[in-house]
Amino acid sequence: MARRGGPGRDKATAKGKTPAKAAGAPARGRRGGGRAEREPVARPVGGGLAELIPDRERPNGWSLLIDGAPQSHVDLDDPAHLSFAYQRRIGHVIDLAAPPLQPLRVLHLGGGAFTLARYTAATRPRSTQQIVELDAPLVQLVRDHLPLDPQARVRVRTADAREGLGRCPDGWADLIVADVFSGARTPAHLTSAGFLTEVRRVLAPSGRYVANLADGPPLAHLRGQVATAAAVFPELALAADPVVWRGRRFGNAVLLASALPLPVAEFTRRVATDPHPGRVEHGRALGDFTGGAAVVTDESAKPSPAPPPSVFENP
Protein backbone atom coordinates (compact mmCIF):
# COMPACT_ATOMS: atom_id res chain seq x y z
CA MET A 1 0.00 0.00 0.00
CA ALA A 2 1.24 3.40 -0.90
CA ARG A 3 1.65 6.23 1.50
CA ARG A 4 0.52 8.48 -1.26
CA GLY A 5 0.36 12.25 -1.52
CA GLY A 6 -2.60 14.19 -0.17
CA PRO A 7 -5.24 15.97 -2.24
CA GLY A 8 -3.61 18.38 -4.65
CA ARG A 9 -0.19 17.49 -3.30
CA ASP A 10 2.52 14.92 -3.59
CA LYS A 11 3.92 12.89 -0.75
CA ALA A 12 6.19 15.51 0.77
CA THR A 13 3.37 17.96 1.45
CA ALA A 14 0.64 15.51 2.45
CA LYS A 15 -1.08 16.26 5.74
CA GLY A 16 -2.18 13.16 7.62
CA LYS A 17 -2.88 12.06 11.18
CA THR A 18 -6.59 12.89 11.29
CA PRO A 19 -8.11 10.74 14.04
CA ALA A 20 -11.22 8.70 13.36
CA LYS A 21 -14.14 9.29 15.69
CA ALA A 22 -15.70 5.84 15.59
CA ALA A 23 -13.74 2.68 14.99
CA GLY A 24 -15.66 0.35 12.72
CA ALA A 25 -18.56 2.78 12.23
CA PRO A 26 -20.31 2.61 8.85
CA ALA A 27 -19.40 5.32 6.34
CA ARG A 28 -22.86 6.79 6.07
CA GLY A 29 -24.61 9.95 7.11
CA ARG A 30 -26.20 10.81 10.43
CA ARG A 31 -28.87 13.49 10.59
CA GLY A 32 -28.31 16.31 13.02
CA GLY A 33 -29.34 19.96 12.92
CA GLY A 34 -31.11 19.49 9.57
CA ARG A 35 -28.08 18.15 7.66
CA ALA A 36 -26.41 14.79 7.19
CA GLU A 37 -23.14 14.31 9.03
CA ARG A 38 -20.92 11.47 7.95
CA GLU A 39 -18.91 9.51 10.49
CA PRO A 40 -15.25 8.62 10.00
CA VAL A 41 -14.46 4.92 9.90
CA ALA A 42 -11.43 3.16 11.38
CA ARG A 43 -10.42 -0.48 11.05
CA PRO A 44 -7.16 -2.44 11.44
CA VAL A 45 -5.88 -3.75 8.09
CA GLY A 46 -2.72 -5.54 7.03
CA GLY A 47 -0.76 -2.30 6.67
CA GLY A 48 -1.85 -0.68 9.94
CA LEU A 49 -4.87 1.37 11.00
CA ALA A 50 -7.03 2.34 8.02
CA GLU A 51 -9.26 5.41 8.32
CA LEU A 52 -11.93 6.70 5.98
CA ILE A 53 -12.33 10.44 6.55
CA PRO A 54 -15.26 12.38 5.04
CA ASP A 55 -14.37 15.16 2.62
CA ARG A 56 -16.21 18.18 3.98
CA GLU A 57 -16.14 19.89 0.58
CA ARG A 58 -17.60 16.97 -1.38
CA PRO A 59 -20.86 15.39 -0.16
CA ASN A 60 -19.79 11.85 -1.06
CA GLY A 61 -16.01 12.25 -1.01
CA TRP A 62 -13.73 10.21 1.25
CA SER A 63 -10.02 10.10 2.01
CA LEU A 64 -8.30 6.84 2.90
CA LEU A 65 -5.45 7.05 5.44
CA ILE A 66 -3.20 4.26 6.69
CA ASP A 67 -1.53 5.00 10.02
CA GLY A 68 -2.32 8.67 9.47
CA ALA A 69 -0.75 8.91 6.01
CA PRO A 70 -3.00 9.82 3.05
CA GLN A 71 -3.45 6.92 0.63
CA SER A 72 -6.34 7.67 -1.70
CA HIS A 73 -9.26 9.99 -2.25
CA VAL A 74 -12.59 8.88 -3.74
CA ASP A 75 -15.69 10.84 -4.73
CA LEU A 76 -18.44 8.26 -5.13
CA ASP A 77 -20.64 10.83 -6.89
CA ASP A 78 -17.87 11.83 -9.31
CA PRO A 79 -15.32 9.03 -9.76
CA ALA A 80 -13.64 11.02 -12.55
CA HIS A 81 -12.50 13.56 -9.94
CA LEU A 82 -8.86 13.01 -8.94
CA SER A 83 -7.66 15.04 -5.96
CA PHE A 84 -4.12 13.74 -5.57
CA ALA A 85 -1.46 15.25 -7.82
CA TYR A 86 0.21 11.96 -8.72
CA GLN A 87 -3.17 10.36 -9.47
CA ARG A 88 -4.07 13.21 -11.83
CA ARG A 89 -0.83 12.52 -13.70
CA ILE A 90 -1.73 8.86 -14.00
CA GLY A 91 -5.20 9.99 -15.04
CA HIS A 92 -3.59 11.84 -17.95
CA VAL A 93 -1.88 8.59 -18.96
CA ILE A 94 -5.25 6.80 -18.91
CA ASP A 95 -6.79 9.61 -20.99
CA LEU A 96 -4.00 9.40 -23.58
CA ALA A 97 -3.85 5.61 -23.78
CA ALA A 98 -6.46 5.44 -26.56
CA PRO A 99 -9.09 7.64 -28.27
CA PRO A 100 -11.75 8.99 -25.86
CA LEU A 101 -14.27 6.44 -24.53
CA GLN A 102 -12.43 3.50 -26.10
CA PRO A 103 -12.42 0.61 -23.58
CA LEU A 104 -9.09 -0.58 -22.22
CA ARG A 105 -7.80 -3.70 -20.53
CA VAL A 106 -6.07 -2.41 -17.40
CA LEU A 107 -4.11 -4.19 -14.70
CA HIS A 108 -3.74 -2.26 -11.42
CA LEU A 109 -0.91 -3.43 -9.16
CA GLY A 110 -1.95 -2.01 -5.79
CA GLY A 111 -5.54 -1.13 -5.02
CA GLY A 112 -5.84 1.51 -2.32
CA ALA A 113 -9.43 2.76 -2.52
CA PHE A 114 -9.66 1.68 -6.19
CA THR A 115 -9.52 5.34 -7.24
CA LEU A 116 -7.84 4.84 -10.62
CA ALA A 117 -9.98 1.83 -11.50
CA ARG A 118 -13.06 3.94 -10.76
CA TYR A 119 -11.66 6.73 -12.92
CA THR A 120 -11.06 4.34 -15.81
CA ALA A 121 -14.55 2.85 -15.52
CA ALA A 122 -16.12 6.34 -15.50
CA THR A 123 -14.12 7.75 -18.41
CA ARG A 124 -13.86 4.56 -20.48
CA PRO A 125 -17.05 2.50 -19.99
CA ARG A 126 -16.85 -1.22 -20.83
CA SER A 127 -13.17 -1.33 -19.90
CA THR A 128 -12.03 -4.64 -18.38
CA GLN A 129 -9.91 -4.16 -15.27
CA GLN A 130 -8.10 -6.27 -12.71
CA ILE A 131 -6.84 -5.01 -9.35
CA VAL A 132 -4.15 -6.95 -7.49
CA GLU A 133 -3.98 -5.91 -3.82
CA LEU A 134 -2.17 -7.88 -1.11
CA ASP A 135 -4.05 -6.43 1.87
CA ALA A 136 -7.28 -8.46 2.09
CA PRO A 137 -8.72 -6.53 5.09
CA LEU A 138 -8.19 -3.25 3.21
CA VAL A 139 -9.99 -4.66 0.17
CA GLN A 140 -12.91 -5.66 2.39
CA LEU A 141 -13.01 -2.24 4.07
CA VAL A 142 -13.20 -0.51 0.68
CA ARG A 143 -15.83 -2.95 -0.59
CA ASP A 144 -17.94 -2.40 2.54
CA HIS A 145 -17.84 1.39 2.68
CA LEU A 146 -16.81 2.61 -0.78
CA PRO A 147 -18.47 0.07 -3.07
CA LEU A 148 -17.62 -0.07 -6.74
CA ASP A 149 -20.26 0.69 -9.35
CA PRO A 150 -21.87 -2.71 -10.00
CA GLN A 151 -21.76 -1.92 -13.73
CA ALA A 152 -17.99 -1.50 -13.67
CA ARG A 153 -16.10 -4.49 -15.02
CA VAL A 154 -13.51 -4.58 -12.23
CA ARG A 155 -12.16 -7.79 -10.71
CA VAL A 156 -10.22 -7.56 -7.43
CA ARG A 157 -7.68 -10.27 -6.63
CA THR A 158 -5.91 -10.59 -3.27
CA ALA A 159 -2.29 -11.43 -4.06
CA ASP A 160 1.24 -10.07 -4.13
CA ALA A 161 1.66 -7.72 -7.08
CA ARG A 162 4.41 -9.69 -8.79
CA GLU A 163 2.58 -12.96 -8.20
CA GLY A 164 -0.60 -11.52 -9.70
CA LEU A 165 1.34 -10.13 -12.63
CA GLY A 166 2.84 -13.55 -13.27
CA ARG A 167 -0.64 -15.07 -13.62
CA CYS A 168 -1.63 -12.73 -16.46
CA PRO A 169 -1.40 -13.98 -20.05
CA ASP A 170 1.06 -12.56 -22.55
CA GLY A 171 -0.08 -9.33 -24.20
CA TRP A 172 -3.28 -9.02 -22.17
CA ALA A 173 -3.04 -5.43 -20.90
CA ASP A 174 -3.33 -2.15 -22.73
CA LEU A 175 -2.17 -0.42 -19.55
CA ILE A 176 -0.48 -1.55 -16.33
CA VAL A 177 -0.64 0.83 -13.36
CA ALA A 178 1.80 0.16 -10.51
CA ASP A 179 1.12 1.92 -7.21
CA VAL A 180 2.42 -0.56 -4.65
CA PHE A 181 3.93 0.31 -1.30
CA SER A 182 4.53 -1.64 1.89
CA GLY A 183 4.19 1.00 4.54
CA ALA A 184 5.88 3.95 2.86
CA ARG A 185 8.28 1.96 0.65
CA THR A 186 8.03 0.16 -2.68
CA PRO A 187 8.95 -3.51 -2.07
CA ALA A 188 12.33 -4.50 -3.48
CA HIS A 189 10.99 -7.22 -5.79
CA LEU A 190 8.94 -4.59 -7.65
CA THR A 191 11.96 -2.41 -8.50
CA SER A 192 14.01 -4.76 -10.71
CA ALA A 193 14.52 -5.37 -14.40
CA GLY A 194 13.08 -8.85 -13.82
CA PHE A 195 9.83 -7.31 -12.62
CA LEU A 196 9.70 -4.92 -15.57
CA THR A 197 10.41 -7.75 -17.99
CA GLU A 198 7.26 -9.43 -16.65
CA VAL A 199 5.39 -6.13 -17.07
CA ARG A 200 6.44 -5.96 -20.73
CA ARG A 201 5.39 -9.58 -21.26
CA VAL A 202 1.86 -8.84 -20.03
CA LEU A 203 1.52 -5.61 -22.02
CA ALA A 204 0.10 -5.61 -25.53
CA PRO A 205 2.68 -4.53 -28.16
CA SER A 206 1.31 -0.97 -28.03
CA GLY A 207 0.63 -1.07 -24.29
CA ARG A 208 1.95 1.32 -21.67
CA TYR A 209 3.24 1.01 -18.13
CA VAL A 210 2.85 3.76 -15.54
CA ALA A 211 4.23 3.69 -12.00
CA ASN A 212 4.03 5.86 -8.93
CA LEU A 213 7.54 6.18 -7.51
CA ALA A 214 8.78 8.07 -4.45
CA ASP A 215 12.22 9.39 -3.57
CA GLY A 216 14.09 12.29 -2.05
CA PRO A 217 17.57 13.81 -2.18
CA PRO A 218 19.88 12.69 -3.76
CA LEU A 219 17.30 10.83 -5.93
CA ALA A 220 19.47 7.71 -6.20
CA HIS A 221 16.44 5.40 -6.17
CA LEU A 222 14.64 7.38 -8.86
CA ARG A 223 17.72 7.46 -11.09
CA GLY A 224 18.10 3.71 -10.70
CA GLN A 225 14.45 3.13 -11.55
CA VAL A 226 14.74 5.18 -14.74
CA ALA A 227 17.93 3.34 -15.74
CA THR A 228 16.22 0.00 -15.06
CA ALA A 229 13.14 0.92 -17.09
CA ALA A 230 15.38 2.07 -19.95
CA ALA A 231 16.92 -1.41 -20.06
CA VAL A 232 13.48 -2.92 -20.74
CA PHE A 233 11.51 -0.19 -22.56
CA PRO A 234 12.83 2.03 -25.37
CA GLU A 235 10.40 4.90 -24.67
CA LEU A 236 10.24 6.67 -21.29
CA ALA A 237 8.92 9.85 -19.70
CA LEU A 238 9.01 10.97 -16.07
CA ALA A 239 6.75 13.57 -14.41
CA ALA A 240 7.47 15.18 -11.03
CA ASP A 241 7.24 18.45 -9.16
CA PRO A 242 10.05 20.90 -9.98
CA VAL A 243 11.26 20.78 -6.36
CA VAL A 244 11.53 17.00 -6.58
CA TRP A 245 13.46 17.27 -9.86
CA ARG A 246 15.88 19.65 -8.18
CA GLY A 247 16.38 17.22 -5.30
CA ARG A 248 15.05 19.66 -2.74
CA ARG A 249 12.43 17.47 -1.11
CA PHE A 250 10.96 13.99 -0.92
CA GLY A 251 8.03 13.44 -3.27
CA ASN A 252 6.29 11.42 -5.94
CA ALA A 253 7.29 10.89 -9.56
CA VAL A 254 5.22 9.21 -12.26
CA LEU A 255 7.15 7.01 -14.68
CA LEU A 256 5.64 6.22 -18.09
CA ALA A 257 7.14 3.52 -20.33
CA SER A 258 6.30 1.79 -23.61
CA ALA A 259 7.78 -0.08 -26.53
CA LEU A 260 6.32 2.55 -28.89
CA PRO A 261 6.58 6.36 -28.96
CA LEU A 262 4.69 8.14 -26.20
CA PRO A 263 2.41 11.21 -26.48
CA VAL A 264 5.06 13.26 -24.69
CA ALA A 265 3.97 16.70 -25.91
CA GLU A 266 0.38 16.33 -24.76
CA PHE A 267 1.37 14.61 -21.51
CA THR A 268 3.79 17.46 -20.82
CA ARG A 269 1.12 20.07 -21.51
CA ARG A 270 -1.41 18.42 -19.21
CA VAL A 271 1.07 17.96 -16.36
CA ALA A 272 2.23 21.58 -16.67
CA THR A 273 -1.34 22.94 -16.54
CA ASP A 274 -2.50 20.88 -13.56
CA PRO A 275 -3.67 22.72 -10.42
CA HIS A 276 -0.41 21.42 -8.93
CA PRO A 277 1.91 21.79 -11.95
CA GLY A 278 4.72 19.36 -12.66
CA ARG A 279 7.50 18.94 -15.18
CA VAL A 280 8.07 16.10 -17.63
CA GLU A 281 11.45 14.92 -18.87
CA HIS A 282 12.10 12.40 -21.64
CA GLY A 283 14.65 11.44 -24.27
CA ARG A 284 18.24 12.57 -23.83
CA ALA A 285 17.47 14.81 -20.86
CA LEU A 286 15.95 11.88 -18.98
CA GLY A 287 18.90 9.68 -19.92
CA ASP A 288 21.28 12.32 -18.58
CA PHE A 289 19.24 12.42 -15.36
CA THR A 290 20.19 8.81 -14.57
CA GLY A 291 23.84 9.84 -14.23
CA GLY A 292 25.11 6.37 -15.07
CA ALA A 293 22.97 4.63 -12.44
CA ALA A 294 23.15 0.84 -12.55
CA VAL A 295 20.28 -1.33 -13.71
CA VAL A 296 18.55 -2.94 -10.70
CA THR A 297 18.49 -6.74 -10.76
CA ASP A 298 16.51 -9.12 -8.57
CA GLU A 299 19.73 -9.80 -6.68
CA SER A 300 20.60 -6.13 -6.09
CA ALA A 301 17.07 -4.81 -5.55
CA LYS A 302 16.25 -2.80 -2.43
CA PRO A 303 13.02 -1.18 -1.25
CA SER A 304 12.54 2.48 -2.08
CA PRO A 305 13.84 4.82 0.65
CA ALA A 306 11.65 5.62 3.62
CA PRO A 307 10.37 9.18 3.66
CA PRO A 308 11.63 11.48 6.41
CA PRO A 309 9.38 11.63 9.49
CA SER A 310 8.29 15.18 8.65
CA VAL A 311 6.60 14.12 5.39
CA PHE A 312 3.26 13.17 6.97
CA GLU A 313 3.33 15.45 10.00
CA ASN A 314 1.04 18.36 10.52
CA PRO A 315 2.84 21.72 10.76
Side-chain angles (χ1 to χ4, degrees), residues 88-89 240-242 270-279:
R88 285 198 302 273
R89 291 165 190 166
D241 285 2
R270 294 187 183 210
V271 169
T273 55
D274 267 343
H276 193 65
R279 193 177 92 218

Side-chain angles (χ1 to χ4, degrees), residues 134-154:
L134 181 62
D135 194 332
L138 176 61
V139 169
Q140 192 59 53
L141 173 68
V142 174
R143 286 189 181 278
D144 289 346
H145 297 286
L146 306 175
L148 286 162
D149 182 343
Q151 301 301 315
R153 300 171 62 182
V154 180

Side-chain angles (χ1 to χ4, degrees), residues 37-287:
E37 296 181 0
R38 295 174 295 157
E39 292 286 351
V41 176
R43 184 185 297 177
V45 297
L49 179 66
E51 299 171 272
L52 294 175
I53 307 299
D55 183 339
R56 300 306 180 189
E57 297 181 358
R58 289 184 165 264
N60 214 2
W62 296 86
S63 292
L64 169 66
L65 284 67
I66 304 290
D67 286 342
Q71 298 278 314
S72 299
H73 179 276
V74 169
D75 187 336
L76 297 180
D77 293 336
D78 182 12
H81 173 77
L82 299 176
S83 288
F84 290 18
Y86 90 89
Q87 288 184 332
R88 285 198 302 273
R89 291 165 190 166
I90 296 177
H92 299 324
V93 173
I94 296 169
D95 293 344
L96 297 172
L101 300 179
Q102 180 175 312
L104 297 174
R105 290 180 298 184
V106 185
L107 175 64
H108 300 266
L109 303 178
F114 310 160
T115 303
L116 292 165
R118 299 173 200 269
Y119 179 86
T120 304
T123 59
R124 296 184 176 277
R126 304 184 310 282
S127 291
T128 300
Q129 302 185 76
Q130 293 189 34
I131 297 172
V132 180
E133 170 59 60
L134 181 62
D135 194 332
L138 176 61
V139 169
Q140 192 59 53
L141 173 68
V142 174
R143 286 189 181 278
D144 289 346
H145 297 286
L146 306 175
L148 286 162
D149 182 343
Q151 301 301 315
R153 300 171 62 182
V154 180
R155 178 185 178 187
V156 183
R157 176 183 296 171
T158 302
D160 171 78
R162 190 156 173 177
E163 176 187 344
L165 178 68
R167 294 177 182 175
C168 290
D170 294 1
W172 180 84
D174 299 307
L175 181 66
I176 296 178
V177 180
D179 190 11
V180 187
F181 287 70
S182 176
R185 308 177 73 180
T186 303
H189 68 300
L190 304 181
T191 68
S192 69
F195 166 69
L196 290 180
T197 298
E198 274 292 280
V199 166
R200 185 160 182 179
R201 177 189 66 79
V202 174
L203 283 174
S206 61
R208 294 169 186 169
Y209 170 70
V210 60
N212 176 32
L213 307 176
D215 198 9
L219 301 181
H221 173 73
L222 195 55
R223 297 179 202 276
Q225 288 302 285
V226 174
T228 303
V232 179
F233 292 97
E235 301 291 335
L236 301 176
L238 187 69
D241 285 2
V243 290
V244 174
W245 276 115
R246 293 194 292 268
R248 296 180 61 180
R249 70 162 173 82
F250 199 100
N252 294 78
V254 170
L255 175 67
L256 177 58
S258 179
L260 299 180
L262 297 166
V264 173
E266 181 60 18
F267 183 53
T268 300
R269 185 191 69 80
R270 294 187 183 210
V271 169
T273 55
D274 267 343
H276 193 65
R279 193 177 92 218
V280 175
E281 294 288 2
H282 64 99
R284 182 173 180 177
L286 186 55

